Amino acid sequence: MLLAVFLSIAAFAQTVTITGNVKTSTSQEAVPAVSVTIKGTGSGTFTDDKGNFTLTTSQKPPFTLIFSSIGFESQEVVVNNASDVINVSFVPSTQLGTEVVVSASRVPERILESPVSIERVNSASIRVAPAASYYDIVGNLKGVDLTTSSLTFKTPSTRGFNGSGNTRFNQVIDGMDNQAPGLNFSVGTIVGLNELDVDNMELLPGASSALYGPGGMNGTLLINSKSPFRYTGLSFQVKEGIMHTDKRYRDDAGAYHNWAIRWAQKVSDKFAYKITGEFIQAKDWVGADYRNYARLGTNGRVIPGTRQTDPNYDGVNVYGDETTTDLMKNVLIPISKQAPFLAPYIYSLDTNKAIPVSRTGYTEREIVDPNTVNFKLSGALHYKITENLEAVFAGYFGTGNTVYTGSERYSLRDLKIAQYKLELNHKNWFIRSYTTQENAGQSYNATVTTRLFNEAWKPSTSWYSQYGQTYVANLLSGMANLDAHNAARAVADQGRPVAGSTQFNQIFDRIRSIPIVKGGGLFVDKTDLYNTEGQYNLTHATGKVADILVGGNYKTYVLNSEGTLFADSSGNIKIREFGAYIQASRRLFGDVLKLTFSGRYDKNENFKGRLTPRATAVLQVAKNNNLRFSYQSAYRFPSTQQQWINLAVGSNVRLIGGNKDFITHFGFDKNPVFSTTTGQVYTINAVKPEAVTSFEMGYKGLLAEGKVMVDAYGYFGQYQDFLARTLIMQSTTGNPADVVNPATRRIFSIPVNLADKVKTYGYGMSIDYRFYKGYVFSVNGSSDNLQDVPEDYVAFFNAPKYRANLTLANGSLGKDKRYGFVATYKWQDSFLSEGDFATGDVPAIHTLDAQVSYKLPKSKSIVKLGANNLLNQYYFNAVGNSIVGGLYYISFGYNMY
């Protein structure tokens, strides 16, 4: 025991403690979260919220400390004596392009030297952005489209294929795939980080499967949180705002509430923790597209007509009117047989001509709860086992109400998603295990629920009988045809429950609470995901030859929808995947040229394994000016829905997956199916993974002594086995000839691989200019194009040909440099929006976001007055999605910088 005490005293005696403070050279304000490291070692610490730091080390002076932080020039200070107090005057950086990124190669590198296109948003940019949600900032990046299903459900994408939920785009939060496993895509920020805890976001446009696995065909977004060792103390932010100011789509203007909090504490040099929370509540944007829609399965088009001018009206955001019948064939002719005295007149109406009539529907604002809520809670424990090894246990939970557009509009009520992870991070390797637990709560299909509501109130047999008898009587009395229809509808709709009434709510709530498989509108989704992955950087052993990185993962999906979404009514369905990757890079000719080669192999138990190679080159043409060249490949296995979905939707079609079991389940092997387009016998082939190869050339460099940064790229991509959907039909009688009769056939939407190669190409450019007294001007523009898609297939490309963003900002105005402002203008071209729910034209979009702010240095607080869509120019970016107006807010943030 005495020996142990002696050794401990001896070890303590051998350590030295260095203290100091860091302030800005311009305003003498304390600078928190500055990295302080001993040059040539891994030892280091961070400044606290007052700019102070304490560093204990076994290394004896003299040694050099390196001070670094985003937005400041890195500085080195020589420590000659441990008793010296180190005071650093930190100089703000005037040069652009100094940031370091990790995602492009999975190792740190300057953004100027990234081998592929990359966009980065740091915490300082998030802090001053006018966007009410940090997630919206992604939509202003070069080449990015952001699809808005509702206030809290937004989906980013790059290089086309936008939609409400994108299975070709990966979102990774703190190293975890952030997808809802039953849907195979991320649900925006419903679960994950709040604004106060976001350290940075990195976006990789285009193919990224070689390092990040299946799904990253059109980009990967990585969102990283703040370390509790580096960012400590209490921070909170309160945003209060208003929406629907002109009451165009809601009866009253609605309040917007967004409250966030973060508490982090560094208990010791070894242990730190953090807790974060956020609450958002508002009256949501609403789908209010009342254009008439002609449906054919999951295909269709917008056509002229309203409820008053078209008896078969089917509004895009009107639900329940999808139920339709041929009044002549199914009502009037039977009436003529029951009432022979009417037969002569009915047969004089041309019985060979169909009279389609739809039931009366309800608008989205009448059936979907306008109250959108999102509550997020997260926490993490960090423990440094050694100087180079850190253990992290973290949990993320999100719940709330939102609206999503898929094959139908879905009201997601009490949706819950939780993610939990345990990881070990070493300076050379990491290993991580995590799980995602999803529960759809009381979510329901708005279309199905409303159709069933109509049936529960008055069955279609009764409704159409009343309609038909009244229609004939009206014609006999001399009414014009259209007037006869409208008067007949008024009679059939007598007693129809008024939306929001007690009778309406009782019927509607009962139906939406019954699972789809049991005759209701509720869909159950309790799907889980489990993943274990690891990576090892071998550079310390192989660096003389090449920098080598290896890694791999094993993933399992457990589908559980109880038959409401997937074909899993008899039990859960498991899908297993595994993958491995290797990357080697080397610098040549005195760092003038850097070559990188990587490859990844992945295997899904339902498909053959796939290899995705990547090769990149970065050529330095001058200091801080680089050309980049890349060949990348990516692929995705058919999503969980494309494999196993089994869902009847409101357009009188059944969406099914591509698993071979469906062939026998629906008797496709015995009762032939036919193309709805050609009418010919259709041969169903096994669905294969989709792949893309992409070639890109780009330039990124600094001009005008680092005050101007230019980034440009051009790409060409080619898809093979492109995954799309097509419609087939099958006779319900077993007689193939009956497939021509709508009453004796059923329609399926099935996933298919296109035999032809589909091509994409595009380009983009951005210029950032830091000029007079802290003003920054940024402009970017981009274009994406698709070609060679067969006419009878729906590609869901959904991208404007051109888009642009302009930003002007200054964060240091006034005598004390406390005032700031940011204004961002966004424009995108009109385009054809294709979706399972609806297809149609999306008009061009023009929006202006802006904010003015004032800093309170003593408390590091910011008061901000801002607006999204300042001019209240309503827009939608997919047919059937919510129509978005202006959101105006004022916020106060404490301990923000």
Side-chain angles (χ1 to χ4, degrees), residues 74 90 121 138 177 194 221 251 253 422 500 618 651 663-664 689 716-717 750 769 810:
S74 292
F90 218 20
V121 179
V138 176
D177 187 341
N194 73 24
L221 176 65
D251 293 334
L422 178 63
V618 178
S651 48
I663 294 177
T664 54
F716 172 80
I750 62 171
Y769 178 32
N810 192 323

Coordinates of all heavy atoms in Angstrom, one line a residue, residues 74 90 121 138 177 194 221 251 253 422 500 618 651 663-664 689 716-717 750 769 810:
S74 N -5.5 29.8 -36.7 CA -4.8 28.9 -35.8 C -3.6 29.6 -35.2 O -2.9 30.3 -36.0 CB -4.4 27.6 -36.4 OG -5.6 26.8 -36.7
F90 N -7.0 36.0 -29.8 CA -7.4 35.2 -30.9 C -7.8 36.0 -32.1 O -8.7 36.8 -32.0 CB -8.5 34.2 -30.5 CG -8.4 32.8 -31.0 CD1 -7.2 32.3 -31.5 CD2 -9.5 32.0 -31.0 CE1 -7.2 31.0 -32.0 CE2 -9.5 30.7 -31.5 CZ -8.3 30.2 -32.0
V121 N -22.0 23.2 -43.2 CA -22.6 24.2 -42.5 C -22.1 24.1 -41.0 O -22.3 23.1 -40.4 CB -24.2 24.1 -42.5 CG1 -24.8 25.2 -41.7 CG2 -24.7 24.1 -43.9
V138 N -30.3 23.5 -45.1 CA -29.8 22.5 -46.1 C -30.4 22.9 -47.5 O -29.8 22.7 -48.5 CB -30.2 21.1 -45.7 CG1 -29.8 20.1 -46.8 CG2 -29.5 20.7 -44.4
D177 N -27.6 5.8 -38.9 CA -28.5 6.0 -39.9 C -29.9 6.4 -39.3 O -30.4 5.7 -38.5 CB -28.7 4.6 -40.6 CG -29.6 4.7 -41.9 OD1 -30.3 5.7 -42.0 OD2 -29.5 3.8 -42.7
N194 N -31.4 18.9 -31.5 CA -32.0 20.3 -31.6 C -30.9 21.2 -32.0 O -29.7 20.9 -32.1 CB -32.7 20.7 -30.3 CG -31.7 21.0 -29.2 OD1 -30.6 21.4 -29.4 ND2 -32.2 20.9 -27.9
L221 N -26.3 13.1 -46.0 CA -26.3 14.3 -45.1 C -25.8 13.7 -43.7 O -26.5 12.9 -43.2 CB -27.6 15.0 -45.0 CG -27.7 16.1 -44.0 CD1 -26.8 17.3 -44.4 CD2 -29.2 16.6 -43.8
D251 N -58.6 29.4 -40.7 CA -59.6 30.4 -40.3 C -58.9 31.5 -39.5 O -59.4 32.6 -39.5 CB -60.7 29.7 -39.5 CG -61.5 28.8 -40.3 OD1 -61.6 29.0 -41.5 OD2 -62.1 27.8 -39.7
A253 N -55.0 33.2 -37.8 CA -53.6 33.1 -37.7 C -53.2 32.2 -36.6 O -53.9 32.2 -35.5 CB -53.0 34.5 -37.5
L422 N -24.1 2.8 -28.5 CA -23.0 2.6 -27.6 C -21.8 2.5 -28.5 O -21.8 1.7 -29.5 CB -23.1 1.3 -26.8 CG -21.9 1.0 -25.8 CD1 -21.7 2.1 -24.8 CD2 -22.1 -0.3 -25.2
G500 N -66.0 18.1 -37.9 CA -65.9 18.7 -36.6 C -67.0 18.5 -35.6 O -66.9 18.8 -34.4
V618 N -7.2 14.6 -56.7 CA -7.2 16.0 -56.4 C -5.8 16.6 -56.9 O -4.8 16.1 -56.4 CB -7.4 16.3 -54.9 CG1 -7.3 17.8 -54.6 CG2 -8.7 15.7 -54.4
S651 N -56.7 5.0 -54.6 CA -56.8 5.1 -56.0 C -57.3 3.7 -56.6 O -57.0 3.5 -57.8 CB -55.5 5.6 -56.6 OG -54.4 4.8 -56.1
I663 N -45.9 -13.5 -56.1 CA -46.3 -14.1 -57.4 C -47.3 -15.2 -57.1 O -48.4 -15.4 -57.7 CB -45.1 -14.6 -58.1 CG1 -44.3 -13.4 -58.6 CG2 -45.5 -15.5 -59.3 CD1 -43.0 -13.8 -59.3
T664 N -47.0 -16.1 -56.1 CA -47.9 -17.2 -55.8 C -49.0 -16.7 -54.9 O -50.1 -17.2 -55.0 CB -47.1 -18.3 -55.0 OG1 -46.4 -17.7 -53.9 CG2 -46.0 -18.9 -55.9
P689 N -31.3 -5.0 -57.4 CA -30.8 -3.7 -56.9 C -30.5 -2.7 -58.0 O -30.2 -3.1 -59.1 CB -29.5 -4.0 -56.2 CG -29.6 -5.5 -55.8 CD -30.4 -6.1 -56.9
F716 N -22.0 13.5 -64.7 CA -22.8 12.7 -65.6 C -23.0 11.4 -64.9 O -22.0 10.7 -64.5 CB -22.1 12.5 -67.0 CG -22.8 11.5 -67.9 CD1 -23.9 11.8 -68.6 CD2 -22.4 10.1 -67.9 CE1 -24.6 10.9 -69.4 CE2 -23.0 9.2 -68.7 CZ -24.1 9.6 -69.5
G717 N -24.2 10.9 -64.8 CA -24.5 9.6 -64.2 C -25.4 8.7 -65.1 O -26.1 9.2 -65.9
I750 N -46.5 -2.5 -59.2 CA -45.4 -3.3 -58.8 C -44.1 -2.6 -59.1 O -44.0 -1.8 -60.1 CB -45.4 -4.7 -59.6 CG1 -45.3 -4.5 -61.1 CG2 -46.7 -5.4 -59.2 CD1 -45.2 -5.8 -61.8
Y769 N -18.1 35.6 -51.3 CA -17.2 36.8 -51.3 C -17.3 37.5 -50.0 O -18.4 38.0 -49.6 CB -17.6 37.7 -52.5 CG -16.9 39.0 -52.6 CD1 -15.5 39.1 -52.3 CD2 -17.5 40.2 -53.1 CE1 -14.8 40.3 -52.4 CE2 -16.8 41.4 -53.2 CZ -15.5 41.4 -52.9 OH -14.8 42.6 -53.0
N810 N -24.1 40.2 -42.7 CA -23.1 40.8 -42.0 C -23.4 40.6 -40.5 O -24.5 41.0 -40.1 CB -23.0 42.3 -42.3 CG -21.7 42.9 -41.7 OD1 -21.3 42.6 -40.6 ND2 -21.1 43.8 -42.5

